Short mmCIF file of all heavy atoms in Angstrom, two decimals:
data_model
loop_
_atom_site.label_atom_id
_atom_site.label_comp_id
_atom_site.label_asym_id
_atom_site.label_seq_id
_atom_site.Cartn_x
_atom_site.Cartn_y
_atom_site.Cartn_z
N ARG A 263 101.08 107.83 100.89
CA ARG A 263 101.23 106.40 100.58
C ARG A 263 100.56 106.03 99.27
O ARG A 263 101.05 105.15 98.54
CB ARG A 263 100.68 105.56 101.73
CG ARG A 263 101.54 105.68 102.97
CD ARG A 263 101.14 104.67 104.02
NE ARG A 263 101.93 104.83 105.22
CZ ARG A 263 101.81 104.07 106.30
NH1 ARG A 263 100.93 103.08 106.32
NH2 ARG A 263 102.55 104.28 107.37
N GLU A 264 99.44 106.67 98.96
CA GLU A 264 98.80 106.40 97.66
C GLU A 264 99.67 106.93 96.52
O GLU A 264 99.76 106.29 95.47
CB GLU A 264 97.40 107.05 97.60
CG GLU A 264 96.35 106.37 98.47
CD GLU A 264 95.94 104.99 97.99
OE1 GLU A 264 96.51 104.49 96.99
OE2 GLU A 264 95.06 104.38 98.62
N VAL A 265 100.33 108.05 96.75
CA VAL A 265 101.24 108.59 95.73
C VAL A 265 102.41 107.63 95.54
O VAL A 265 102.83 107.36 94.41
CB VAL A 265 101.73 109.99 96.15
CG1 VAL A 265 102.96 110.40 95.32
CG2 VAL A 265 100.62 111.02 95.97
N GLU A 266 102.93 107.10 96.63
CA GLU A 266 104.03 106.13 96.54
C GLU A 266 103.57 104.86 95.84
O GLU A 266 104.31 104.26 95.04
CB GLU A 266 104.53 105.80 97.95
CG GLU A 266 105.70 104.84 97.97
CD GLU A 266 106.16 104.51 99.38
OE1 GLU A 266 105.58 105.04 100.35
OE2 GLU A 266 107.09 103.70 99.52
N PHE A 267 102.34 104.44 96.11
CA PHE A 267 101.80 103.19 95.58
C PHE A 267 101.39 103.32 94.10
O PHE A 267 101.62 102.40 93.31
CB PHE A 267 100.59 102.77 96.42
CG PHE A 267 100.00 101.43 96.06
CD1 PHE A 267 100.75 100.27 96.13
CD2 PHE A 267 98.66 101.32 95.68
CE1 PHE A 267 100.21 99.03 95.82
CE2 PHE A 267 98.10 100.09 95.37
CZ PHE A 267 98.88 98.94 95.43
N ARG A 268 100.80 104.46 93.74
CA ARG A 268 100.20 104.61 92.41
C ARG A 268 100.92 105.60 91.50
O ARG A 268 100.59 105.69 90.31
CB ARG A 268 98.74 105.08 92.55
CG ARG A 268 97.87 104.13 93.34
CD ARG A 268 96.47 104.71 93.58
NE ARG A 268 95.68 103.84 94.43
CZ ARG A 268 94.96 102.80 94.02
NH1 ARG A 268 94.92 102.52 92.73
NH2 ARG A 268 94.28 102.06 94.87
N GLY A 269 101.86 106.36 92.05
CA GLY A 269 102.45 107.45 91.30
C GLY A 269 101.74 108.75 91.65
O GLY A 269 100.60 108.75 92.09
N GLU A 270 102.43 109.88 91.48
CA GLU A 270 101.90 111.16 91.97
C GLU A 270 100.58 111.56 91.32
O GLU A 270 99.62 111.89 92.01
CB GLU A 270 102.94 112.27 91.78
CG GLU A 270 102.51 113.59 92.40
CD GLU A 270 103.65 114.58 92.52
OE1 GLU A 270 104.81 114.15 92.70
OE2 GLU A 270 103.38 115.79 92.45
N ASP A 271 100.51 111.53 90.01
CA ASP A 271 99.30 112.00 89.32
C ASP A 271 98.08 111.15 89.68
O ASP A 271 97.05 111.68 90.09
CB ASP A 271 99.54 111.98 87.80
CG ASP A 271 98.34 112.53 87.03
OD1 ASP A 271 97.90 113.65 87.36
OD2 ASP A 271 97.84 111.82 86.14
N VAL A 272 98.21 109.84 89.55
CA VAL A 272 97.09 108.94 89.84
C VAL A 272 96.76 108.95 91.33
O VAL A 272 95.59 108.96 91.73
CB VAL A 272 97.41 107.50 89.37
CG1 VAL A 272 96.29 106.55 89.76
CG2 VAL A 272 97.63 107.47 87.86
N GLY A 273 97.80 108.97 92.17
CA GLY A 273 97.59 108.96 93.62
C GLY A 273 96.81 110.17 94.11
O GLY A 273 95.89 110.04 94.93
N ILE A 274 97.17 111.35 93.60
CA ILE A 274 96.48 112.59 94.00
C ILE A 274 95.01 112.53 93.58
O ILE A 274 94.11 112.89 94.35
CB ILE A 274 97.18 113.82 93.38
CG1 ILE A 274 98.51 114.09 94.10
CG2 ILE A 274 96.28 115.05 93.43
CD1 ILE A 274 99.37 115.15 93.44
N LYS A 275 94.75 112.07 92.37
CA LYS A 275 93.36 111.96 91.91
C LYS A 275 92.58 110.92 92.71
O LYS A 275 91.41 111.10 93.02
CB LYS A 275 93.34 111.61 90.42
CG LYS A 275 93.81 112.75 89.53
CD LYS A 275 93.88 112.32 88.07
CE LYS A 275 94.38 113.47 87.19
NZ LYS A 275 94.61 113.04 85.79
#
Side-chain angles (χ1 to χ4, degrees):
R263 291 190 182 181
E264 288 291 3
V265 164
E266 182 181 359
F267 185 59
R268 300 174 185 275
E270 186 166 329
D271 183 52
V272 176
I274 287 172
K275 290 175 181 174

